[in-house]
Every structure is written in structure tokens, then in C-alpha cells.
Amino acid sequence: MNANPNGKPPLKVRLATTSLAGCFGCHMSLLDIDERLFELAGLAEFDRSPFTDIKQCGPCDIALIEGGVCNSENVHVLRELRANAKILVAVGACAINGGVPALRNRLKIGDILDKVYRDDSGEVHIPDDPELPASLDKIYPINEIVRIDYFLPGCPPSGDAIWKYLTDLILGRVPRLDHQLLHYD
Amino acid sequence: MTELLFNIDDLPVPFKPGQTILEAAKAAGVFVPHLCHHPRLKPHGGCKLCTVVVNGRTQSACTYKVAAGQEVDIDTPELNAMRRSLVQLLFIEGNHFCPTCEKTGACELQALGYEYEMLSPHFAEFYPADREVDASHPDVLIDRNRCIMCERCVRASRDIDGKNVFGIAGRGGKATLAINSPTGKLADSDFAVTDSAAHICPVGAILVKRNGFATPIGERAYDAHPISDSVNVCEIAEEAK
């Protein structure tokens, strides 16, 4: 099959990725698709992503979101991606249920800041630079902040799981993971 | 004597008088999901994962007795969607973080999430802040963040071990696993690691210490095979311990 009969470059989907309150493990796992990165480069081009270092998102087809929402900047980025992407995918445990960062949810944010920023003399110096994003009262799963279209669990999802899910989406199939690829851990 | 038969998903299945639907299905090799049920304990009918449709009405397969000619639906899209919702509700109601849990891969709740393709919690998370961890006992750890109130430990301690160590205290959202000791701590009860109640928890709420990673993550009971591959769910999870 000649996918390029007119000599025009093939249409590619535009892909954005970001890591909110995550550890970048899901992004590392995306790189674990190894040589399939070349195949992905044939199917997609990257918009805002740590891979491109583009800071503002333009209109795109699919956005992959790693991490939960822990501060005001996360909310801003998530809303920006929701406004620009047709399909939002929650990737990994933190985006889906808060994950390891959400272990702080049983504590009050004031108590945490007080503990973390108390120096040896007992004085508390909580940073208040306006450029620093304010922490939220707790970690939120991203679907509690904006509408999410698809969920890809795992901590992180394996490269194989990301490849299966992403290619299903790009090629217009209903994305599904069989037992070997579906993990919450 | 003619064989007694009833129908599971339109296929005839034999049964013995007095069997529950779950027991008869299991004897015939048909998977019925369950969390609170355990073959060594009396039926409890709490978790509702085993809900089936009997002659058009929903019933708990673990408590409902089979009768000849019954039409029982077990594996239908409607029931499986309901089961996925039940699993999601159990996940959001506690603090279930699989990546940090020792039980991951051998957890029956997680395995049922995989079975019913639960990809998200769907409902808003509760993140309860009042679930106490009890590490007082030398051999066994209690993490109430993961307790699903199935009462397997309550019944095993009372009916098999003859000790009555556990109970559920409080109501509704305030319900919690209580320990029968003067201080409420496990160390001050007569609980022992040899008790069957120490090994019967379907999730990671009761964990035997110094045993957490004896089987590496990725090689555990439900990492290799879906929970529905075997009808002997509880036995598999206990062998893995």
C-alpha cells in the first residue's frame, strides 16, 4: 500500500505530553518503546512536551498526562492541555488516583509546610515568592480537575502497554490492554 | 437416580442438593468473582461481587441455594459492569495505592480490577485520613487504609481459630476494623501468626511481616494469570503467601 501517493508528507497526529505531580517514570517508560520511536515519529509529531521543550501547547490531537495535581501550576497546565487537545489520556497511577504523592492527603497542608520549613531554631520560613506555585490542600487525580477521555494505568505502564494504547488511539481503534499489559503497580 | 441440573449462562450444570450457586459453579469449574466469601467460612453475602441473576432476579451466589431447573446468569456484560463499579467503589473508599502495597500482584481486589478492566476509579476519591496502621504485633501488620470490611478475618478468628480477635466497630463511613484487646492494639491480643486469620485477608490489610517481597513483583499469583483462570481463588492467594 502506498501511503503517500501524492508525494505530500503524510498527515501526522500532534501529540503533547506533560508531567504534573509525577516522577517522569511514565515519560521514561514511553522512551522504553525503543526502536518503535522511529515508527512513532512516522505517525506523530510532538507539541508541548519535555521531549521538545516547547512550553506552551498549541492545538493538538492527543495529550498524555503523567502525574496528579498538587499545585496551582499543575491546574493551569492541565487546563491548557484540555483546552488544546482533542483527547486527554491519564497515564500512570498518579494521574489516575494521585499515586504515591497522594500519600500526603491524610495530612493537613499547613502541618506539612510547618514541618518541612521549620529550621533548627524552631522558626518557620515558608517560601512565599509569587513565582512559586501554591500547593493545593491535597493531591487530586486529574479527572477531578478536567474531563479525561482515556486512562492508561500502571506505575509506570510498560513501554509495550503505552505503545499498544497509543497506537490503538492513533489508528482509531478502541484502546484495550490485555491481562499481561494491564497493571496498577 | 437422574442427575440434578440447573443452567449457568444457558449451559446445563450438575449440582448436589444443599449447594449454593457459588459452590455448584465452582464444582463445575465456572468462575464466580467474590471477595468476602471463603470456602472455609460460612457464607457472608457482604461484598456482592458474586451477584448473579437467578430466574430474572439478582441474588448473591454465595448464599443462594441451587434448585433444579434454575436459570442463572453469571458472566453477562450487565453484571460485569456492575462488578467493575463495585470494585471501583471499594478502591475509592479506602487508600488503595497498588505501587506501594506489599500485596500487589497477589491481591484479590486488584485482580478483580484487572478482570473487569477497571482503568480508572471513576468516582471521586475519599482519601480517608483516619485509618490507623497497627504495627505493634511482632509478626503481623494491620493497615486499615486497605481494609474492605469483608470480615474474613473476623469470621476466621472466631469460627476457625476460636479466638475472636477482630470485629467491625462503628457504622457507615466510620466503620473500622477493631481489635479485641485492652489497648485495641494487636500485640495485646492473643493473635498469633499461625492463626488462619493472619493469612485470609484478600487485600493488603493484614500482612505477615518480613515476607513482603519473598515473591518478586511481577511473578505473583495474578501477575501470571487472570483471577478467572481458576475457580480456587482463595487457595491460590494463600499458597502465594
Side-chain angles (χ1 to χ4, degrees):
Chain A
M1 188 182 85
N2 186 353
N4 191 14
N6 307 323
K8 290 181 188 164
L11 282 174
K12 292 182 182 183
V13 299
R14 268 189 93 72
L15 204 58
T17 77
T18 193
S19 179
L20 307 176
C23 70
F24 274 91
C26 296
H27 276 78
M28 299 307 291
S29 207
L30 172 55
L31 298 179
D32 273 344
I33 65 173
D34 298 332
E35 71 273 16
R36 286 169 292 189
L37 279 166
F38 292 107
E39 211 176 318
L40 181 61
L43 292 168
E45 56 191 359
F46 282 93
D47 196 292
R48 178 193 168 124
S49 167
F51 302 137
T52 57
D53 214 19
I54 297 172
K55 305 293 188 197
Q56 248 80 43
C57 189
C60 58
D61 299 293
I62 301 171
L64 307 178
I65 321 278
E66 169 192 341
V69 178
C70 79
N71 63 28
S72 54
E73 195 230 358
N74 292 160
V75 176
H76 174 83
V77 171
L78 186 55
R79 285 179 176 161
E80 179 191 305
L81 287 164
R82 177 70 274 179
N84 283 287
K86 292 176 193 156
I87 295 172
L88 243 57
V89 187
V91 180
C94 303
I96 290 172
N97 76 350
V100 172
L103 293 173
R104 85 152 154 95
N105 285 356
R106 64 189 302 275
L107 305 169
K108 289 193 168 71
I109 184 66
D111 293 345
I112 296 172
L113 292 172
D114 186 89
K115 184 93 173 170
V116 169
Y117 292 104
R118 186 177 290 275
D119 64 20
D120 292 341
S121 68
E123 283 187 56
V124 181
H125 304 281
I126 297 170
D128 58 355
D129 189 311
E131 287 207 7
L132 288 175
S135 295
L136 302 185
D137 61 333
K138 59 180 185 180
I139 308 283
Y140 292 87
I142 62 173
N143 68 312
E144 293 187 24
I145 306 293
V146 299
R147 182 173 58 79
I148 300 298
D149 303 291
Y150 293 95
F151 297 85
L152 170 52
C155 186
S158 65
D160 289 342
I162 293 176
W163 178 248
K164 168 73 167 65
Y165 210 90
L166 194 53
T167 50
D168 277 355
L169 271 178
I170 291 173
L171 300 174
R173 296 187 290 253
V174 174
R176 281 188 83 176
L177 299 172
D178 66 21
H179 181 263
Q180 288 306 316
L181 294 179
L182 177 56
H183 278 277
Y184 305 152
D185 58 7
Chain B
M1 193 180 114
T2 52
E3 196 178 33
L4 288 166
L5 292 172
F6 75 120
N7 292 314
I8 293 181
D9 294 333
D10 297 329
L11 290 173
V13 172
F15 73 97
K16 297 189 183 104
Q19 274 184 320
T20 61
I21 291 173
L22 196 150
E23 286 165 347
K26 189 172 164 179
V30 176
F31 172 74
V32 181
H34 56 81
L35 285 169
C36 72
H37 177 78
H38 191 281
R40 294 181 67 197
L41 300 170
K42 280 184 200 155
H44 183 59
C47 73
K48 300 297 170 198
L49 260 297
C50 74
T51 299
V52 295
V53 174
V54 184
N55 294 340
R57 301 178 71 159
T58 51
Q59 306 287 355
S60 297
C62 68
T63 56
Y64 203 79
K65 295 276 196 294
V66 187
Q70 260 172 2
E71 298 285 343
V72 179
D73 299 332
I74 295 178
D75 186 12
T76 69
E78 291 82 2
L79 284 170
N80 290 340
M82 177 217 68
R83 290 171 184 137
R84 180 168 58 235
S85 295
L86 285 177
V87 172
Q88 285 169 323
L89 288 165
L90 288 170
F91 263 86
I92 60 114
E93 184 266 350
N95 291 312
H96 296 276
F97 300 108
C98 298
T100 61
C101 180
E102 281 186 16
K103 194 65 176 278
T104 186
C107 170
E108 293 174 37
L109 178 65
Q110 182 191 56
L112 288 171
Y114 296 159
E115 180 65 28
Y116 297 112
E117 293 188 65
M118 181 187 103
L119 299 181
S120 81
H122 181 79
F123 304 100
E125 293 276 352
F126 280 21
Y127 296 129
D130 54 353
R131 304 285 191 96
E132 278 182 39
V133 175
D134 182 348
S136 62
H137 195 279
D139 300 318
V140 178
L141 172 83
I142 309 272
D143 188 343
R144 293 182 177 84
N145 288 290
R146 302 173 187 142
C147 180
I148 56 168
M149 318 276 170
C150 69
E151 300 192 35
R152 270 198 206 172
C153 59
V154 176
R155 290 172 286 145
S157 184
R158 185 187 63 212
D159 301 339
I160 303 176
D161 304 329
K163 289 189 176 179
N164 214 11
V165 171
F166 299 105
I168 303 291
R171 299 171 74 86
K174 299 235 185 296
T176 184
L177 183 65
I179 291 161
N180 185 6
S181 74
T183 57
K185 294 287 182 194
L186 193 62
D188 299 321
S189 71
D190 53 356
F191 189 72
V193 69
T194 48
D195 289 0
S196 51
H199 306 275
I200 211 160
C201 182
V203 294
I206 302 181
L207 294 167
V208 176
K209 290 183 180 177
R210 297 174 295 280
N211 192 36
F213 299 95
T215 307
I217 289 171
E219 296 175 20
R220 298 177 176 186
Y222 308 121
D223 286 330
H225 302 288
I227 194 168
S228 58
D229 270 13
S230 171
V231 291
N232 299 313
V233 169
C234 304
E235 290 85 337
I236 289 175
E238 276 165 50
E239 270 171 33
K241 281 172 189 165

